[in-house]
Amino acid sequence: MEITIGVRDVAREITIDSPLSAEELRGVVKAALDAGTTLELTDENGAQVLVPGGALGYVRFGSEKARRVGFGV
């Protein structure tokens, strides 16, 4: 699932592909916001993204469907 994270006072967005479902991601983001802790996510390749909970501007979840690539798709 593609996730886009907006950080306060930063012009660029962070975009990662996560192996988690929408419900799992919602729980992780909500827990970080409620506790005021760091949002920790790992993408499909094992790279980690850490964002302080207080710096989150928004988190947008993309669709869970796989993207199709190629001509005539």
Side-chain angles (χ1 to χ4, degrees):
M1 164 172 283
E2 183 176 275
I3 306 158
T4 303
I5 302 169
V7 180
R8 292 183 187 172
D9 301 324
V10 177
R12 296 188 63 164
E13 298 175 327
I14 301 169
T15 303
I16 67 168
D17 287 320
S18 174
L20 299 176
S21 70
E23 289 301 317
E24 292 170 323
L25 286 168
R26 191 172 288 113
V28 170
V29 172
K30 185 168 177 15
L33 289 173
D34 289 345
T37 59
T38 302
L39 173 63
E40 300 179 20
L41 296 173
T42 303
D43 73 2
E44 293 177 339
N45 298 322
Q48 292 185 330
V49 174
L50 304 172
V51 180
L56 287 174
Y58 62 89
V59 178
R60 181 175 51 227
F61 302 124
S63 65
E64 293 188 52
K65 297 179 183 177
R67 294 186 217 158
R68 298 188 300 179
V69 179
F71 295 102
V73 182

